[in-house]
Amino acid sequence: MRGRNPVAAMTQAEKGEPENGREKEKEQRGVKRPILPAAIPEPLQEHIQCDYVVVIHPGSNTLRIGRATDTHPAAIPHVIARRHKQPGQPPSCDKWLLRDGLNKPESNEQRQNGLKMVDQAIWSKKMSNGTRRIPAMPEQARVYNKQIRPAILDHDSGVKWTSTSHNEEYFVGEEALFVNPADRYDIHYPIRRGQLNIHDGPGGSLTAVLTDLEVIWSHVIQKFLEIQLKDLKYYRCILLIPDIYNRQHVKEMVNMILTKMGFSGVIVHQESVCAVYGSGLTSACVVDVGDQKTSICCVEDGISHRNTRLCLAYGGSDVTRCFFWLMQRAGFPYRECQLTNRLDCLLLQQLKETYTHLDQVCLAACCHLRIYIQGFLPTSVIIYLSRKMQISGLQDQEFQVRHPDSPALLYQMRLGDEKLQVRVIASVLFGILQAPMALFYPATFGIVGQKMTSLQHRSPGDPEDPHDEHYLLATQSKQDQSSKAAADRKALPKPSMFDDARSQAMDVAERGHMMEAELGPSQGDGMGHSNDGEESSASLFSRKTMVSQFEGKALGLDKAILHSIDCCTSDDTKKKMYSSILVVGGGLMFHKAQQFLQHRILNKMPPSFRRVVENVEVITRPKDMDPRLIVWKGGAVLACLDTTQELWIYQREWQRFGVRMLRERAAFVW
């Protein structure tokens, strides 16, 4: 269907008239009119002015939005606080660090098992003198930490609640996070784990979520970009969506952008391809670790290979929650900390970013120095000690807790000296290294009964898009269908001595159908070949068999990367991907994460590729850019390319033809 007008194929079927009859009728009337207006109106064929293009990257927890010419986008928490409409209405607050599946009876057992695997991976490494590390005994550190009491720095923390004296209808971003829970406001996150946050609770309907999105985006455009909403008719928009997307959600967002917000045109593109554009690469295995989800996809020459797309339902927020659990095991001195408190969640996120790392060399240096640690050991101190290889006297580390209407509290954490024994290294040190390693051993998150791995799924179909893949399959000629079925039968496994060929073929087809049903339509995209063509039934069944081994299970980050690369169709493409693993997003911004991931990929990649791949390269900061901005920057680059002219969907076209324009204009197979 690509390259054809979306209406050209449907007109005859809709009108029920033969083409010759319609042409004859036009000639009799003496009027030669096109079937529909020109796809791109004449005034819009001029060169695109990039400062009139707004790039929107919804992300998984942070909204990034700005003009294509901006150096940096505006980045705000993607959250809204809405005033209660009815007096006495109970407050509702969407979860941030908490999630379903954490309070199951087997959650703690799974968490403990994951932690054992992490500890085994840490302590199996040898020290510089050739001996193995000795696991730590945390009891003394726990006793010490429980004795710590906070010091009052100031009776006024200096932090204020968001003022609601004017009874505003809503607050967005940071203001929403600092709304007093005693005020009559509900807190909603319209996007969770890369998808629209549809749920059964208040504000969880599709209409409510889209309304929240429109309010948040409009507010940011007016406040940070200083663009009046009435002027959006002069602007165009580039919307960045996940690689595994929900068709219905994308359609509704495009409709909101064009018909409700009033943009004159829109381009929809995938995050992985824009990450490659933003980094200046041509091909890469893109690993996007966000706050709520982790997505992996192999991109080659601007094409996202569909078979390689994976979405893991964990990210930076899960590491933060795991870090909190590990600190509690070590007697975390701030005992009032609660995951249901938004401000405590912000504090935990800050502590994670400050203290956690993936530098096992630092741990080896600490063990070699026989340092006894009685509290937190920040990353900066570890690096300093590993470089200087010496320590003298006692050192105190501290952090502050500042909440509105409360005093500013100071918590101290003490470091010992080299005279004490290494066997009692505080377990908090382990939390510093263990929490980020949970990305590679996700059982440590303790999530039970939730689907943790999602793949590309077949489209459920759309009544507004009659010429989708289901239509194409249904209208294939019988000859094509019979030849394809014959080829598939040859590729199927040979029957056993107890089964005839007919019964086994039926059994294989039935199992394939059941596996496809298990994948479910939730993500709403079709499974296809890596070049976006049709995948044979045999290869599809083979892939589903492989997928069934981990579908729904918590797959470690390194294993997910290896699986994604392995799904590439040629060895040359696989070698390209091993040589260029691009890590974006803010969920893996730990010290030495690049070297850590590279080491794990090298150790686990197939031996056949280990011999032919010259260098496994993990790229975390291309051109010294912030990895959190690379996807948005790629959207900005896309806006300035002349080749994107044919990708624009204009408001008038959308109003007339709807979702069929996405099939016609999207840069990927819709």
Side-chain angles (χ1 to χ4, degrees):
M1 297 296 295
R2 186 164 298 281
R4 298 175 55 191
N5 193 294
V7 179
M10 75 168 193
T11 306
Q12 296 180 25
E14 289 185 348
K15 298 297 184 181
E17 299 177 5
E19 184 176 355
N20 294 337
R22 297 186 67 227
E23 293 296 331
K24 184 179 295 186
E25 181 181 353
K26 290 181 183 179
E27 291 179 3
Q28 291 175 353
R29 286 184 289 183
V31 179
K32 287 275 188 177
R33 292 183 298 179
I35 297 177
L36 65 150
I40 300 179
E42 289 298 329
L44 297 177
Q45 291 182 353
E46 303 173 358
H47 178 72
I48 301 296
Q49 297 182 8
C50 294
D51 53 341
Y52 282 86
V53 177
V54 176
V55 182
I56 300 178
H57 181 207
S60 62
N61 192 60
T62 301
L63 169 67
R64 292 180 174 87
I65 183 170
R67 290 182 174 87
T69 53
D70 292 341
T71 305
H72 299 289
I76 67 166
H78 212 165
V79 59
I80 184 172
R82 284 192 174 274
R83 177 169 48 84
H84 290 179
K85 296 182 178 180
Q86 299 178 357
Q89 179 180 356
S92 69
C93 181
D94 289 348
K95 302 172 184 177
W96 180 9
L97 296 186
L98 290 174
R99 57 181 296 175
D100 295 334
L102 294 175
N103 298 320
K104 302 290 184 179
E106 56 270 41
S107 294
N108 190 59
E109 181 182 357
Q110 179 170 305
R111 190 183 292 114
Q112 296 289 351
N113 292 335
L115 186 59
K116 289 179 182 178
M117 291 188 288
V118 171
D119 288 344
Q120 184 178 5
I122 293 175
W123 298 107
S124 63
K125 306 296 181 183
K126 292 184 179 181
M127 296 188 292
S128 57
N129 61 2
T131 61
R132 294 190 180 276
R133 301 188 181 97
I134 303 173
M137 304 295 293
E139 186 59 33
Q140 294 189 26
R142 185 183 299 112
V143 171
Y144 173 81
N145 286 331
K146 287 185 176 181
Q147 295 175 353
I148 293 179
R149 294 296 180 267
I152 298 178
L153 288 178
D154 196 335
H155 290 283
D156 184 3
S157 64
V159 179
K160 303 296 182 184
W161 293 115
T162 299
S163 174
T164 60
S165 57
H166 297 291
N167 208 27
E168 288 86 346
E169 182 179 351
Y170 63 85
F171 294 98
V172 168
E174 292 278 355
E175 292 182 336
L177 292 178
F178 281 86
V179 169
N180 192 330
D183 293 336
R184 298 179 296 108
Y185 283 83
D186 294 331
I187 307 298
H188 297 304
Y189 295 89
I191 292 182
R192 294 282 84 177
R193 316 210 179 278
Q195 305 292 337
L196 296 186
N197 187 19
I198 310 297
H199 56 85
D200 296 332
S205 66
L206 177 60
T207 302
V209 171
L210 290 170
T211 302
D212 288 342
L213 276 184
E214 181 182 355
V215 171
I216 295 173
W217 295 2
S218 299
H219 175 86
V220 175
I221 287 173
Q222 292 183 95
K223 182 177 180 179
F224 294 95
L225 305 188
E226 298 181 348
I227 300 174
Q228 298 299 316
L229 296 183
K230 61 182 179 62
D231 295 331
L232 288 182
K233 60 186 177 183
Y234 304 113
Y235 288 80
R236 306 185 191 192
C237 172
I238 291 186
L239 176 65
L240 308 183
I241 63 173
D243 302 295
I244 298 180
Y245 54 89
N246 186 304
R247 292 170 183 256
Q248 176 69 17
H249 295 178
V250 174
K251 180 180 77 171
E252 296 293 344
M253 285 192 288
V254 170
N255 184 67
M256 178 190 73
I257 288 171
L258 292 177
T259 63
K260 296 186 177 180
M261 297 182 68
F263 280 96
S264 63
V266 67
I267 287 178
V268 179
H269 218 320
Q270 295 166 299
E271 292 174 337
S272 63
V273 177
C274 290
V276 172
Y277 288 154
S279 61
L281 302 173
T282 56
S283 301
C285 176
V286 180
V287 183
D288 188 349
V289 186
D291 183 79
Q292 297 286 317
K293 54 91 179 176
T294 298
S295 59
I296 303 169
C297 179
C298 293
V299 178
E300 186 178 21
D301 299 328
I303 300 298
S304 166
H305 292 326
R306 301 178 71 178
N307 279 0
T308 66
R309 299 174 193 167
L310 288 172
C311 184
L312 310 175
Y314 58 77
S317 62
D318 298 283
V319 176
T320 303
R321 187 183 61 255
C322 181
F323 184 48
F324 175 55
W325 172 66
L326 292 167
M327 289 192 297
Q328 284 182 313
R329 282 165 48 94
F332 185 41
Y334 176 35
R335 283 173 285 279
E336 295 78 14
C337 186
Q338 298 291 333
L339 293 179
T340 54
N341 187 317
R342 298 189 301 275
L343 303 188
D344 284 344
C345 291
L346 289 172
L347 173 65
L348 292 173
Q349 187 179 39
Q350 180 184 357
L351 292 176
K352 179 198 71 173
E353 294 172 355
T354 304
Y355 295 144
T356 54
H357 68 90
L358 282 169
D359 190 355
Q360 292 196 10
V361 177
C362 292
L363 180 58
C366 292
C367 293
H368 182 67
L369 286 169
R370 303 171 67 85
I371 301 169
Y372 172 51
I373 302 161
Q374 290 180 316
F376 286 136
L377 183 59
T379 304
S380 58
V381 177
I382 297 176
I383 298 172
Y384 176 83
L385 294 177
S386 63
R387 290 175 179 172
K388 298 299 183 181
M389 298 297 288
Q390 61 184 2
I391 184 170
S392 60
L394 296 176
Q395 298 185 23
D396 289 335
Q397 298 300 316
E398 40 188 53
F399 69 92
Q400 298 180 11
V401 176
R402 292 179 176 270
H403 288 348
D405 298 336
S406 301
L409 303 178
L410 177 68
Y411 289 86
Q412 292 188 344
M413 299 160 290
R414 179 168 297 173
L415 305 180
D417 62 17
E418 59 187 353
K419 297 178 183 179
L420 301 177
Q421 296 298 316
V422 67
R423 290 178 62 89
V424 286
I425 295 177
S427 64
V428 174
L429 173 60
F430 300 168
I432 290 171
L433 186 59
Q434 285 169 324
M437 285 188 67
L439 292 170
F440 303 90
Y441 299 92
T444 315
F445 295 137
I447 304 170
V448 176
Q450 299 294 306
K451 185 176 181 179
M452 299 298 292
T453 304
S454 299
L455 305 168
Q456 201 75 57
H457 302 305
R458 182 174 296 279
S459 166
D462 191 329
E464 296 182 15
D465 186 12
H467 299 95
D468 57 10
E469 59 188 278
H470 298 277
Y471 169 82
L472 296 177
L473 290 173
T475 54
Q476 284 181 338
S477 66
K478 292 184 178 180
Q479 182 178 359
D480 292 341
Q481 293 183 13
S482 60
S483 61
K484 185 177 180 181
D488 292 343
R489 283 195 297 272
K490 292 181 181 179
L492 290 174
K494 293 183 178 180
S496 66
M497 59 185 300
F498 302 103
D499 299 316
D500 59 20
R502 178 181 179 85
S503 63
Q504 181 164 355
M506 293 175 62
D507 180 61
V508 167
E510 182 179 359
R511 280 184 289 155
H513 177 74
M514 290 175 61
M515 289 181 183
E516 182 176 346
E518 289 177 359
L519 294 179
S522 61
Q523 300 297 336
D525 204 355
M527 299 184 79
H529 198 265
S530 63
N531 61 0
D532 288 335
E534 277 298 317
E535 189 175 18
S536 69
S537 298
S539 61
L540 184 61
F541 171 73
S542 175
R543 180 167 184 258
K544 288 177 180 175
T545 303
M546 184 188 308
V547 164
S548 64
Q549 299 175 2
F550 61 81
E551 175 73 19
K553 297 182 180 179
L555 194 66
L557 182 60
D558 50 348
K559 293 181 180 179
I561 294 172
L562 292 170
H563 174 79
S564 177
I565 295 177
D566 188 56
C567 286
C568 294
T569 52
S570 68
D571 289 347
D572 289 338
T573 302
K574 294 177 183 179
K575 287 191 288 186
K576 282 184 186 179
M577 299 301 119
Y578 279 120
S579 302
S580 182
I581 300 175
L582 175 64
V583 181
V584 299
L588 200 65
M589 293 178 63
F590 304 110
H591 179 65
K592 294 292 184 178
Q594 178 183 10
Q595 294 86 338
F596 187 89
L597 180 58
Q598 185 177 24
H599 176 74
R600 293 187 69 92
I601 295 296
L602 274 170
N603 284 347
K604 294 189 176 183
M605 67 187 295
S608 58
F609 284 97
R610 199 176 301 158
R611 292 190 295 265
V612 297
V613 176
E614 296 180 0
N615 182 34
V616 173
E617 185 175 2
V618 176
I619 306 166
T620 55
R621 286 185 173 270
K623 302 179 181 179
D624 292 328
M625 285 192 298
D626 186 337
R628 295 170 294 187
L629 305 181
I630 292 176
V631 174
W632 181 90
K633 180 62 71 175
V637 171
L638 181 71
C640 301
L641 298 177
D642 292 336
T643 53
T644 61
Q645 286 279 359
E646 61 183 16
L647 304 180
W648 289 106
I649 299 174
Y650 295 98
Q651 188 184 85
R652 184 172 63 173
E653 296 172 327
W654 180 264
Q655 291 173 345
R656 183 169 183 182
F657 306 118
V659 71
R660 286 164 287 182
M661 295 306 301
L662 279 169
R663 176 169 300 282
E664 173 69 15
R665 300 285 171 78
F668 48 92
V669 172
W670 176 258

